[in-house]
């Protein structure tokens, strides 16, 4: 045992030569590296400043210097210029083992009673004998960095550092803070969780509070309690399940080297619970859904009352000429029913659009996550309206199926039945023969009852949707908008490694690679559930991706645009033919035909508008050097009408004109329905007989010349607007500028899985859209879509920060652009 004395300059010492006597343990640190034996400080026995005699100064002859490694408990002793321990003067041994403290206070601790403080780090807790691994002295930490900081000439060290990062990325290891995962913020034992008082949990009304009732067997329900606690705290918690008894009488120290313990202690059972946020857009919240259910019931009752009122003598209205009607009554008769039914459909469209957009995130927020075919590879936005409910039922996405059916009924069937249920008697032939006959407006019994039943069916479906959306959590903490919203959710885990070599892959290839994997949404971040194996039965039913292989939406290609443009032209020709020729018998026998055709045009225009809204951010990025707000731009997440004004504010003229056309198309249904009840030949006869005919009535008795001209003019204007805009959009946007459509989460992730801009999204998963835009603007970067050098040093295609290596041209492999030796120039 080596010992030494150190002279300290303590200000409380009576004599300058009074020293601190202690012993230094000769026990060395266990290390795999060879080297000299190093000592550690041991517990010292301090001399009393009042009773301890002064220690004589050390010999002037300096002993052989000995250095001791720093232990885990050290005291900075002062007064020695050499900075090393000096030998301790020998002291006589104690006279007895059990002498009093006052009798022993002047003696140093015997070697057999010395305690090495460095051993405390390896002390075992009571009744446990686990082997504790040593904590490394220098824990390597990977700092977050920005690859763009390596701009300009780099030295050898910088080049080697960047090359090492690229090799790690090429081998599937994310760098720069990507894929670090998420650790729980709080740890709590199961016993404490069960014994804690029940929390007050808010119901869907957000105004009533119900105390959590304790179950009869709380130990069996501790997982649900853990989830409730995580939701209440709004952070991840780790519940430690330790049912083992602790024997305080058994005090075991660290395991001796080479000696095995007789019993092995099983590891602690732990489970992490992540909060399940419940952000929802207003159109999916209970006040809006309750309003729509009540509105459906009210409209159904009102339709039945209107029918009963029409059965009384005189019907709803009776008149001889249109001039006899009050202007207010005339407006109610001609426009109010159609306005109500069209507005009713628009209100349901708002809910349906949000349900389709956010369904994938809800599926991943469930326990165990969801298959990629049920979440990442789902596209309900661009899918055709009538096939969407069937596909949703196949995937067991019942909320989407119910919402789609409800919206189809409200958008297509309700306006058509509403226009057809109003009947003007007598028939058109009688009115033409005798223009002064009494006209009566009634309601068709059959069509009215069908319309009433439709309202109640929608109310029932709306109630089911209300229950589904209010009893499940969305899994979102804020709205996911644009490329930035998805990128912020994907940088926490290693999900980006699943999209390796998928830059220009088709949806079918992405589906085949991901169909056996499950993905989860935890704490606003996407994770790959690799530990959960998917059964063959679940994956085999998704053999087909059902996503278009064409990189351009159908309404922007000639297969969709040309038939739509031709259909608008034919409808524009049909209106004067029906009004001014003998073909008017069509509207006399089936007045709902015009309304049904107007609804078909509205649905087709809606598909065109959806494609434009979805592609606009990528179209801007394809133009290169786009501002940061482009990454947060998402026109698909904006409600009806608002998107037009937002596009006007952003000066995105094509989006503004198309979305404004959507507003006009809704009005087209109203005006076209009104024209179906007019006899146009009466107007021609009046023009031939009289010069000023604006205040004259038409022979049918339900229109004046002035109202007829206004309605006809607005209808023709809207059809011309749709025709011209559809032609302009087809000419300007008919060429594909993407490898595939960005109509699913997987498609968007594949566009940026190797982007260097992902470093800027580390730690942004809980930021709002506004906060995200402000953070990106602080970097002062621009972004583009094309070919770029990824984090692995290879050339990739997608979205990244500027400067890119080249633009994307459909059908051209830009990754070979800088290697002309690979081109077969003979067949170029």
């Amino acid at each position: 045992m080596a010992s030494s004395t150190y002279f300290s300059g303590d200000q409380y010492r009576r004599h300058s030569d009074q020293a601190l006597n202690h012993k230094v343990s000769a026990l060395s640190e266990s290390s795999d590296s060879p080297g000299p034996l190093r000592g550690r400080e041991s517990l010292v026995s301090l001399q009393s400043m009042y009773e301890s005699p002064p220690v004589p100064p050390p010999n002037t002859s300096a002993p052989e210097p000995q250095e001791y490694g720093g232990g885990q408990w050290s005291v900075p002793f002062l007064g020695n210029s050499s900075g090393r321990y000096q030998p301790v003067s020998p002291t006589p041994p104690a006279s007895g083992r059990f002498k009093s403290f006052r009798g022993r206070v002047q003696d140093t601790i015997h070697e057999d009673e010395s305690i090495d403080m460095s051993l405390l780090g390896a002390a075992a807790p009571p009744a446990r004998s686990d082997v504790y691994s040593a904590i490394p002295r220098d824990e390597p930490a990977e700092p977050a960095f920005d690859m763009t900081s390596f701009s300009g000439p780099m030295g050898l060290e910088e080049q080697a550092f960047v090359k090492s990062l690229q090799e790690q990325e090429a081998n599937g290891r994310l760098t720069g803070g990507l894929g670090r995962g998420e650790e729980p913020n709080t740890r709590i034992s199961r016993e404490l969780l069960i014994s804690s008082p029940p929390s007050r949990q808010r119901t869907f009304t957000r105004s009533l509070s119900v105390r959590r009732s304790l179950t009869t067997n709380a130990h069996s329900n501790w997982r649900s309690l853990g989830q409730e606690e995580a939701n209440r705290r709004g952070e991840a918690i780790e519940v430690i399940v330790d049912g083992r008894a602790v024997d305080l009488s058994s005090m075991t120290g660290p395991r001796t080297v080479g000696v095995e313990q007789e019993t092995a202690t099983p590891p602690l059972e732990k489970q992490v619970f992540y909060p399940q946020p419940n952000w929802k857009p207003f159109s999916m919240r209970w006040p809006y859904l309750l309003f729509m259910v009540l509105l459906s019931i009210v409209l159904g009752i009102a339709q039945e009352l209107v029918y009963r009122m029409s059965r009384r003598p005189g019907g709803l209205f009776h008149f001889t000429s249109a001039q006899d009607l009050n202007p207010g009554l005339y407006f109610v008769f001609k426009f109010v029913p159609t306005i109500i039914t069209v507005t009713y459909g628009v209100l349901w469209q708002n809910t349906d659009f949000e349900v389709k957009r956010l369904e994938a995130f809800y599926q991943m927020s469930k326990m165990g996550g969801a298959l990629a075919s049920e979440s990442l590879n789902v596209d309900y936005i661009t899918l055709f309206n009538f096939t969407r409910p069937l596909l949703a039922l196949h995937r067991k996405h019942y909320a989407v199926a119910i919402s789609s059916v409800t919206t189809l009924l409200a958008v297509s069937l309700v306006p058509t039945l509403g226009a057809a249920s109003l009947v003007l008697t007598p028939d058109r032939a009688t009115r033409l023969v005798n223009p002064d006959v009494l006209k009566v407006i009634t309601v068709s019994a059959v069509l009215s009852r069908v319309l009433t039943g439709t309202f109640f069916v929608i109310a029932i479906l709306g109630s089911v949707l209300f229950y589904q959306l209010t009893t499940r959590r969305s899994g979102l903490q804020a709205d996911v908008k644009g490329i930035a919203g998805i990128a912020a959710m994907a940088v926490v885990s290693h999900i980006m490694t699943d999209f390796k070599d998928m830059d220009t892959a088709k949806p079918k290839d992405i589906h085949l690679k991901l169909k056996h994997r499950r993905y989860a949404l935890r704490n606003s971040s996407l994770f790959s559930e690799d530990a959960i194996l998917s059964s063959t039965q679940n994956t085999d039913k998704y053999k087909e991706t059902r996503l278009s292989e064409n990189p351009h939406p159908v309404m922007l290609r000639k297969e969709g645009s040309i038939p739509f443009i031709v259909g608008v032209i034919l409808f524009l020709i049909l209106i004067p033919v029906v009004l001014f020729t003998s073909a008017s018998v069509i509207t006399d026998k089936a007045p709902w035909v015009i309304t049904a055709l107007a609804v078909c045009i509205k649905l087709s225009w809606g598909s065109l508008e959806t494609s434009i809204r979805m592609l606009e951010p990528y179209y801007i990025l394809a133009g290169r050097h786009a501002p940061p707000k482009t990454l947060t731009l998402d026109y698909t997440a904006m409600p009806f009408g608002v998107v037009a004004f937002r596009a006007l504010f952003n000066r995105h003229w094509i989006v503004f004109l198309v979305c404004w056309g959507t507003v006009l198309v809704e009005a087209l249904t109203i005006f076209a329905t009104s024209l179906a009840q007019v006899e146009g030949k009466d107007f021609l006869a009046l023009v031939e007989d009289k010069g000023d005919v604006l205040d004259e009535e038409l022979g049918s008795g339900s229109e004046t010349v002035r109202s007829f001209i206004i309605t006809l003019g607005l209808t023709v204007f809207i059809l011309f607007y749709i025709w011209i805009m559809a032609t302009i959009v087809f000419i300007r946007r008919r060429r594909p500028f993407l490898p595939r459509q960005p109509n699913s989460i997987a498609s968007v992730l594949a566009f940026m899985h190797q982007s260097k801009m992902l470093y800027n999204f580390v730690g942004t998963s809980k930021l709002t859209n506004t906060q995200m835009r402000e953070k990106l603007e602080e970097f002062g970067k621009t972004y583009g879509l094309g070919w770029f050098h990824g984090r692995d040093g290879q050339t990739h295609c997608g979205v990244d920060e500027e400067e890119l290596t080249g633009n994307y041209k459909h059908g051209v492999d830009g990754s070979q652009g800088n290697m002309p030796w690979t081109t077969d120039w003979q067949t170029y």
Side-chain angles (χ1 to χ4, degrees):
M1 178 72 67
S3 60
S4 63
T5 305
Y6 195 94
F7 294 96
S8 173
D10 193 342
Q11 59 179 338
Y12 295 103
R13 220 176 270 148
R14 291 183 178 180
H15 307 284
S16 60
D17 56 350
Q18 185 175 354
L20 174 66
N21 294 337
H22 65 283
K23 289 187 178 182
V24 181
S25 173
L27 294 177
S28 62
E29 296 177 350
S30 60
S31 175
D32 297 333
S33 60
L37 195 64
R38 297 184 300 171
R40 289 189 176 182
E41 304 92 356
S42 62
L43 187 63
V44 300
S45 175
L46 301 179
Q47 296 182 5
S48 171
M49 67 173 57
Y50 301 103
E51 301 178 9
S52 176
V55 180
N59 195 352
T60 56
S61 60
E64 182 182 354
Q66 298 183 23
E67 295 189 18
Y68 298 92
Q72 298 183 8
W73 180 80
S74 61
V75 179
F77 298 103
L78 304 176
N80 189 355
S81 59
S82 64
R84 300 177 180 178
Y85 293 101
Q86 303 297 333
V88 180
S89 300
T91 56
S95 59
R97 182 176 180 86
F98 300 101
K99 59 188 299 185
S100 64
F101 176 77
R102 182 172 296 272
R104 302 189 283 162
V105 70
Q106 299 179 4
D107 300 336
T108 57
I109 301 178
H110 290 280
E111 182 58 31
D112 58 342
E113 295 181 358
S114 62
I115 301 174
D116 191 356
M117 294 298 292
S118 63
L119 298 179
L120 292 179
R128 298 186 185 176
S129 58
D130 299 344
V131 177
Y132 292 86
S133 58
I135 301 176
R137 289 178 177 270
D138 298 326
E139 212 172 296
E142 186 181 83
F145 58 92
D146 187 1
M147 288 290 294
T148 59
S149 61
F150 297 97
S151 58
M154 292 188 297
L156 296 178
E157 295 182 359
E158 289 81 0
Q159 293 178 0
F161 177 66
V162 173
K163 185 177 180 180
S164 66
L165 296 177
Q166 293 175 351
E167 292 177 353
Q168 294 180 42
E169 288 282 350
N171 294 329
R173 179 183 178 186
L174 300 179
T175 60
L178 302 177
R180 282 187 174 180
E182 189 172 5
E183 294 294 332
N185 301 327
T186 305
R187 289 176 174 83
I188 186 174
S189 65
R190 184 181 65 172
E191 287 70 19
L192 181 60
L193 178 68
I194 296 175
S195 62
S196 62
S199 60
R200 301 182 66 86
Q201 190 177 17
R202 305 185 65 146
T203 61
F204 68 92
T205 60
R206 296 187 179 182
S207 59
L208 300 177
S209 298
V210 179
R211 282 192 177 273
R212 188 186 71 200
S213 57
L214 290 176
T215 58
T216 56
N217 190 358
H219 285 268
S220 62
N221 265 351
W222 66 270
R223 289 182 173 85
S224 61
L225 299 181
Q227 187 60 64
E228 291 179 9
E229 185 68 15
N231 294 338
R232 185 184 66 84
R233 292 172 177 260
E235 62 180 9
I237 65 171
E238 183 181 50
V239 178
I240 301 175
V241 183
D242 187 8
R244 297 169 299 184
V246 178
D247 186 6
L248 295 179
S249 61
S250 176
M251 304 291 291
T252 61
R255 178 178 297 181
T256 306
V257 179
V259 179
E260 297 293 336
Q261 297 289 339
E262 297 180 358
T263 59
T265 306
L268 291 174
E269 179 185 353
K270 304 176 183 178
Q271 185 165 350
V272 179
F273 296 93
Y274 296 90
Q276 296 176 335
N278 196 28
W279 178 90
K280 296 174 184 176
F282 179 73
S283 58
M284 290 178 61
R285 297 176 185 172
W286 73 267
Y288 189 92
L289 296 174
L290 183 61
F291 167 76
M292 294 305 302
V293 172
L294 295 178
L295 179 62
S296 303
I297 297 174
V298 170
L299 290 178
I301 296 175
Q303 178 63 31
E304 180 65 21
L305 293 178
V306 169
Y307 166 72
R308 294 183 180 275
M309 291 174 59
S310 67
R311 307 307 299 172
R312 64 186 181 182
L316 292 176
F317 306 104
H318 59 277
F319 53 91
T320 302
S321 65
Q323 295 178 347
D324 297 338
L325 282 175
N326 183 279
L329 293 178
Y330 177 80
F331 178 79
V332 170
F333 160 64
K334 295 295 294 183
F335 300 106
V336 167
T338 310
I339 291 176
I340 292 176
T341 53
V342 169
T343 305
Y344 177 74
V346 170
L347 294 176
W348 274 116
Q349 277 182 311
N350 292 335
T351 299
D352 179 59
F353 197 85
E354 295 292 354
V355 171
K356 294 182 298 184
R357 185 173 68 92
L358 302 178
E359 179 66 19
F361 297 102
Y362 163 71
Q363 293 297 330
M364 290 186 288
S365 67
K366 297 190 299 185
M367 185 66 67
L371 288 171
S373 301
E374 299 173 347
S375 53
L376 295 186
N377 280 332
V378 167
D379 173 30
Y380 289 127
I381 301 298
T382 61
L383 196 63
F384 193 64
N385 296 277
F386 296 100
T387 59
R388 187 182 302 121
L390 301 178
L391 183 59
L393 288 175
H394 176 68
R395 293 170 175 163
K396 297 182 180 181
H397 296 175
Y398 300 115
V400 176
I402 293 175
S403 177
S404 299
V405 172
T406 303
T407 303
L408 281 175
L409 294 177
V411 171
S412 58
L413 190 59
V414 168
T416 304
L417 292 175
S421 61
L422 292 177
V423 179
L424 180 64
T425 57
D427 57 12
R428 180 170 298 182
T430 304
R431 298 198 305 270
L432 291 175
V433 174
N434 186 8
D436 295 331
V437 70
L438 182 67
K439 289 91 175 176
V440 180
I441 299 175
T442 60
V443 177
S444 172
V446 176
L447 296 180
S448 177
R449 294 297 171 83
V450 173
L451 181 58
T452 301
T454 303
F455 278 125
F456 281 104
V457 169
I458 293 176
I460 295 174
L461 294 176
S463 300
V464 177
L465 185 64
F466 173 86
Y467 174 78
Q468 287 184 320
L469 296 183
T470 55
T471 55
R472 73 182 196 182
R473 289 182 171 268
S474 65
L476 297 174
Q477 188 166 350
D479 197 0
V480 182
K481 291 184 178 181
I483 302 172
I486 298 178
M489 302 177 69
V491 296
V492 178
S493 68
H494 285 75
I495 188 176
M496 287 300 187
T497 59
D498 295 345
F499 297 91
K500 185 179 181 180
D501 301 329
M502 290 189 183
D503 307 358
T504 58
K506 298 297 182 181
K508 182 178 180 181
D509 300 328
I510 297 177
H511 167 74
L512 293 177
K513 185 173 181 180
L514 302 181
K515 70 176 184 177
H516 294 286
R517 302 188 180 184
R518 303 184 71 88
Y519 295 91
L521 177 61
R522 298 198 299 259
N523 207 14
S524 302
S525 300
L526 297 177
F527 291 86
S528 178
E529 296 287 356
D530 298 331
I532 302 179
L533 299 179
S534 302
S535 63
T536 307
Q537 181 180 2
N538 291 334
T539 56
D540 287 347
K541 68 178 181 180
Y542 301 120
K543 294 181 179 180
E544 300 296 332
T545 176
R546 291 184 172 85
L547 294 177
S548 176
E549 295 294 311
N550 196 293
H552 222 41
V554 64
M555 291 304 297
L556 299 181
R557 306 196 306 262
K558 61 181 181 180
E559 295 84 357
S561 293
I562 293 179
F564 175 70
I565 293 173
V566 172
V568 173
I569 295 175
L570 293 178
F571 187 73
L572 185 60
I573 297 174
L574 178 65
I575 288 183
V577 169
V578 171
L579 287 176
F580 304 116
T581 66
S582 58
S584 60
V585 67
I586 298 177
T587 58
D588 185 34
K589 300 298 183 181
W592 52 268
V593 172
I594 300 297
T595 304
L597 292 176
V599 169
C600 291
I601 291 178
K602 180 176 69 172
L603 294 177
S604 301
W605 182 264
S607 299
L608 175 64
E609 181 212 23
T610 300
S611 300
I612 292 295
R613 292 165 68 173
M614 176 186 67
L615 292 179
E616 184 63 18
Y618 298 90
Y619 186 82
I620 298 173
L621 289 169
R624 302 287 299 277
H625 296 281
K629 66 178 182 180
T630 308
L631 298 181
T632 60
L633 180 65
D634 190 358
Y635 283 124
T636 61
M638 299 180 186
F640 170 81
V642 177
V643 61
F645 295 100
R646 182 61 63 86
L648 177 63
F649 178 78
N650 294 334
R651 296 184 180 182
H652 298 160
W653 305 116
I654 292 293
V655 180
F656 164 70
L657 294 174
V658 171
C659 294
W660 181 250
T662 304
V663 179
L664 296 179
V665 166
E666 297 293 343
L668 175 65
T669 308
I670 301 173
F671 298 136
T673 302
S674 176
L675 288 177
Q677 303 172 358
V678 178
E679 180 60 48
K681 290 184 290 186
D682 294 346
F683 171 75
L684 297 178
L686 287 174
V687 171
E688 293 177 359
D689 297 340
K690 302 179 181 180
D692 187 10
V693 296
L694 292 180
D695 295 329
E696 297 292 333
E697 65 178 27
L698 297 180
S700 63
S702 62
E703 285 278 359
T704 63
V705 175
R706 186 186 303 274
S707 64
F708 171 74
I709 293 176
I710 293 174
T711 304
L712 179 61
L714 290 174
T715 303
V716 173
F717 168 76
I718 294 174
L719 290 175
F720 266 106
Y721 182 90
I722 294 173
W723 173 27
I724 294 173
M725 284 307 307
T727 304
I728 293 175
V729 169
F730 173 68
I731 294 175
R732 294 182 60 88
R733 301 289 178 92
R734 71 182 185 277
R735 297 184 179 87
F737 56 92
L738 288 171
R740 62 184 169 275
Q741 299 182 36
N743 51 7
S744 65
I745 301 176
S747 179
V748 177
L749 290 176
F751 279 136
M752 55 184 175
H753 75 283
Q754 273 295 330
S755 301
K756 295 184 292 293
M757 70 174 185
L758 291 181
Y759 293 130
N760 299 333
F761 291 97
V762 175
T764 62
S765 60
K766 297 183 180 180
L767 297 183
T768 62
N769 188 259
T770 303
Q771 294 172 338
M772 183 75 71
R773 183 175 64 251
E774 294 175 352
K775 182 177 180 62
L776 293 177
E777 290 175 350
E778 292 176 357
F779 294 108
K781 302 177 182 178
T782 57
Y783 303 88
L785 187 149
W787 296 95
F788 61 91
H789 292 304
R791 301 187 307 274
D792 57 357
Q794 304 298 321
T795 303
H796 297 273
C797 179
V799 179
D800 199 6
E801 57 193 31
E802 296 286 359
E803 288 289 329
L804 306 183
T805 59
N807 298 334
Y808 173 79
K809 294 181 180 180
H810 187 62
V812 178
D813 188 1
S815 61
Q816 308 296 328
N818 295 328
M819 294 182 289
W821 54 86
T822 61
T823 303
D824 186 5
W825 295 103
Q826 296 179 356
T827 59
Y828 182 71

